[in-house]
Amino acid sequence: MKLWSGRFIKDTSKEMDDFNSSISFDMRLYKQDIMGSMVHAEALFKCGIISLEEKESIRKGLLSILKDIEDGTFEFSVQYEDIHMNIEKALTDRIGEAGKKLHTARSRNDQVALDLRLFLKDEILEVQRKLVVLLDTLVTISEDNLYTIMPGYTHLQPAQPITLAHHLMAYYEMFKRDLDRLKDCYRRTDTNPLGSCALASTTYSIDRELTTKLLGFSNYTMNSLDGVSDRDYAIEFISVSSIIMMHLSRLCEELILWSTNEFGYIEMDDAYSTGSSIMPQKKNPDVAELIRGKTGRVFGNLMALLTVMKGLPLAYNKDMQEDKESLFDTLDTVKACLSIMSPMLSTLKINRDNMQKAANKGFINATDVADYLSKKGVPFRTAHRIVGELVLHCTGKGVSLQDLSLEDFRKASPVFEEDIMDIVTPYSCVVSRNIPGGPAPEQVRLHIDSAKTYIRDTKSFLSQQS
Ligand code: ARG
């Protein structure tokens, strides 16, 4: 018999039960549901709705259900629709009348909102922990590659010389912003909706401050309609996850490119590569490709939940049951991708020689040669043209700017002096970009030092969170 069957004269159809039920996926919320019920029982006791004995019996009953679920012996049933009613039904079966009192001054609407917020709070911390490991990995590799010269690109054409450290620290900044976005999202998730009940709160004087404190929330929701119908926090988390996935995907795209024969900048470790079933020579970057590919499903989840919510009148509508799979799939995906990204990166073989060789080609020092002239008084536009002609000359001869002799330079402009021969090397082009944010090893070192402080502080903050 359904817990709500009083006003019905017929049973629901089996097909309806299967269609309506969310137990196959919301069973993931069992711990939060049980914790929420225990705290709700405290509030019921405090306002005299249940006795001390009843509260104790509810607590024991819920703990025995928790144990059975964790032991894998609890039988979930689609007949009881969702995690909330499966647990409530089992509780009443186990402890009798007191179990029937638990749902006083509560609705599944504030119950599900509570469970989801409690669940997401823990998960946000978990994603942050994984992100900080990735930040750490990026910093470690960067520190080893402060002097690894490589071309920086625009339009995927060689542009100006940078270092691998400078390139990877760009990703450090992206993932750091993601971590900060998660902190912000946590703040808004950290609000207790319990007491909103179905939509219009309750006539019982439930102590919302008590439940807020016992459940470890920072505050409670200020409007009962909003308390049960807000899913912004889930949408916000999926959008932050989408940005994380977009960043991961860009990095993966570069790793895939860099591991091609044509680039040859890196080689993926065997442990994170696959072979081909037909082509014996192949070593494929499947992990990076899968991360790039899984980005699509997270973007899809974001669009799904936004679309579910966009036309819903206040307050709760059953459409909102569709929030969970999008959220769970996002969590599983982003956590799996972050987990594998760090070891894949830290086991990469970096072919410094190939990066240096590429930096010697492609005229990526042309801007520096033009800057040289303009620092000696040649208007930049004129300098640009002179160096453009030099590049054309080199292209004809199949050489690079740094292969030219002083005489070659002086033929193009008498302003060139002996010191051009030092300035033209990719190494000195990098070293002289010595302003904050630039690729000069001295600057990237400073960036790495501040990154290490951020990582240390964030790790210690996260280790203090349960
Ligand atoms: N399983 C439901 C969900 O996930 C719980 C809330 C049901 N509330 C209701 N009024 N039918 O949204």
Side-chain angles (χ1 to χ4, degrees):
M1 205 176 44
K2 296 274 192 308
L3 295 176
W4 40 252
S5 63
R7 63 98 66 218
F8 287 75
I9 45 175
K10 253 170 66 177
D11 263 353
T12 49
S13 76
K14 167 84 177 74
E15 200 185 7
M16 155 71 186
D17 284 349
D18 288 342
F19 186 72
N20 196 35
S21 165
S22 53
I23 190 64
S24 64
F25 49 87
D26 67 14
M27 57 165 70
R28 254 174 106 152
L29 301 173
Y30 72 92
K31 232 188 271 170
Q32 291 74 17
D33 200 73
I34 289 173
M35 198 198 302
S37 287
M38 283 195 194
V39 168
H40 182 61
E42 291 292 341
L44 292 179
F45 169 64
K46 196 176 171 206
C47 62
I49 298 166
I50 57 172
S51 67
L52 186 61
E53 295 70 50
E54 286 171 325
K55 187 187 85 172
E56 268 315 297
S57 139
I58 289 174
R59 212 179 74 85
K60 284 206 191 102
L62 288 170
L63 285 177
S64 77
I65 293 171
L66 178 67
K67 183 172 182 311
D68 290 356
I69 296 177
E70 300 206 316
D71 290 349
T73 56
F74 189 88
E75 268 194 40
F76 292 103
S77 153
V78 291
Q79 218 217 319
Y80 301 114
E81 205 177 314
D82 53 28
I83 187 64
H84 325 295
M85 289 201 292
N86 268 269
I87 291 178
E88 191 186 328
K89 171 77 173 68
L91 182 70
T92 308
D93 288 348
R94 291 179 193 200
I95 68 166
E97 289 300 297
K100 291 189 188 166
K101 292 191 180 176
L102 179 63
H103 212 52
T104 322
R106 184 175 74 168
S107 153
R108 275 185 299 152
N109 297 352
D110 60 349
Q111 203 176 345
V112 72
L114 171 69
D115 293 1
L116 212 55
R117 281 180 183 271
L118 284 174
F119 174 82
L120 189 55
K121 275 178 62 179
D122 283 347
E123 293 288 343
I124 292 175
L125 292 172
E126 207 38 45
V127 178
Q128 283 183 291
R129 288 189 185 103
K130 291 186 186 298
L131 264 176
V132 87
V133 172
L134 178 57
L135 292 182
D136 215 356
T137 307
L138 288 167
V139 165
T140 306
I141 305 174
S142 298
E143 205 165 18
D144 285 345
N145 288 283
L146 281 168
Y147 291 90
T148 306
I149 313 280
M150 62 176 279
Y153 297 84
T154 61
H155 314 270
L156 202 53
Q157 305 290 330
Q160 291 178 342
I162 55 166
T163 63
L164 180 61
H166 190 55
H167 195 105
L168 292 181
M169 288 303 284
Y171 283 100
Y172 167 86
E173 284 296 304
M174 298 176 222
F175 291 120
K176 174 177 177 275
R177 286 194 296 273
D178 292 337
L179 213 152
D180 290 343
R181 270 186 271 273
L182 284 174
K183 280 189 201 160
D184 211 40
C185 174
Y186 184 93
R187 212 161 49 77
R188 278 180 287 276
T189 307
D190 189 15
T191 301
N192 176 19
L194 203 59
S196 305
C197 298
L199 74 161
S201 83
T202 174
T203 53
Y204 295 96
S205 47
I206 288 293
D207 184 345
R208 297 197 71 200
E209 257 165 39
L210 175 76
T211 60
T212 299
K213 191 166 141 257
L214 292 178
L215 287 165
F217 282 107
S218 297
N219 48 45
Y220 52 76
T221 52
M222 293 308 293
N223 177 292
S224 60
L225 294 170
D226 184 49
V228 288
S229 54
D230 167 30
R231 293 293 182 275
D232 299 7
Y233 52 94
I235 295 175
E236 196 174 340
F237 175 77
I238 305 178
S239 53
V240 175
S241 298
S242 297
I243 300 178
I244 295 174
M245 291 303 298
M246 179 269 290
H247 288 151
L248 285 173
S249 185
R250 289 183 81 172
L251 178 51
C252 285
E253 167 65 15
E254 297 201 309
L255 297 178
I256 294 163
L257 269 177
W258 291 358
S259 61
T260 57
N261 261 345
E262 288 73 8
F263 274 82
Y265 289 179
I266 55 168
E267 192 186 324
M268 301 270 185
D269 194 73
D270 283 2
Y272 297 95
S273 311
T274 57
S276 154
S277 55
I278 172 169
M279 296 166 282
Q281 83 285 12
K282 292 275 271 184
K283 186 168 174 187
N284 295 327
D286 285 26
V287 173
E289 289 173 342
L290 270 175
I291 295 175
R292 191 178 58 183
K294 284 176 189 291
T295 303
R297 62 198 290 159
V298 175
F299 292 3
N301 290 335
L302 176 61
M303 217 27 75
L305 192 49
L306 282 169
T307 312
V308 164
M309 296 302 293
K310 77 178 259 295
L312 299 187
L314 296 184
Y316 179 83
N317 301 267
K318 189 68 173 235
D319 314 46
M320 288 156 78
Q321 182 164 285
E322 290 290 309
D323 59 2
K324 281 163 221 55
E325 285 159 297
S326 299
L327 181 65
F328 295 161
D329 182 67
T330 299
L331 268 166
D332 294 342
T333 306
V334 78
K335 284 199 299 186
C337 293
L338 284 171
S339 296
I340 201 157
M341 193 71 190
S342 296
M344 180 176 71
L345 281 174
S346 55
T347 54
L348 277 182
K349 185 168 158 266
I350 296 161
N351 298 327
R352 296 192 172 89
D353 285 351
N354 287 347
M355 290 187 174
Q356 178 69 54
K357 273 185 210 143
N360 291 340
K361 292 190 296 201
F363 303 102
I364 58 179
N365 44 4
T367 316
D368 300 73
V369 179
D371 282 346
Y372 170 93
L373 289 175
S374 73
K375 278 178 196 159
K376 300 213 174 200
V378 181
F380 187 76
R381 269 293 145 244
T382 313
H384 188 287
R385 190 185 41 76
I386 294 170
V387 181
E389 283 164 9
L390 268 174
V391 167
L392 188 64
H393 169 78
C394 289
T395 316
K397 288 174 70 181
V399 297
S400 298
L401 284 169
Q402 62 271 33
D403 301 325
L404 297 177
S405 65
L406 182 57
E407 289 69 55
D408 293 329
F409 278 113
R410 290 183 64 86
K411 254 185 245 156
S413 165
V415 179
F416 284 114
E417 288 172 273
E418 185 64 42
D419 54 351
I420 185 63
M421 304 311 285
D422 289 331
I423 277 161
V424 77
T425 67
Y427 174 79
S428 82
C429 295
V430 163
V431 170
S432 52
R433 286 178 156 72
N434 194 9
I435 63 161
E442 201 184 321
Q443 295 296 337
V444 180
R445 166 93 268 158
L446 291 174
H447 187 194
I448 287 177
D449 289 344
S450 72
K452 282 182 171 174
T453 309
Y454 176 85
I455 291 171
R456 199 191 51 230
D457 293 351
T458 309
K459 274 189 180 166
S460 108
F461 168 80
L462 288 171
S463 70
Q464 284 155 31
Q465 309 302 304
S466 55

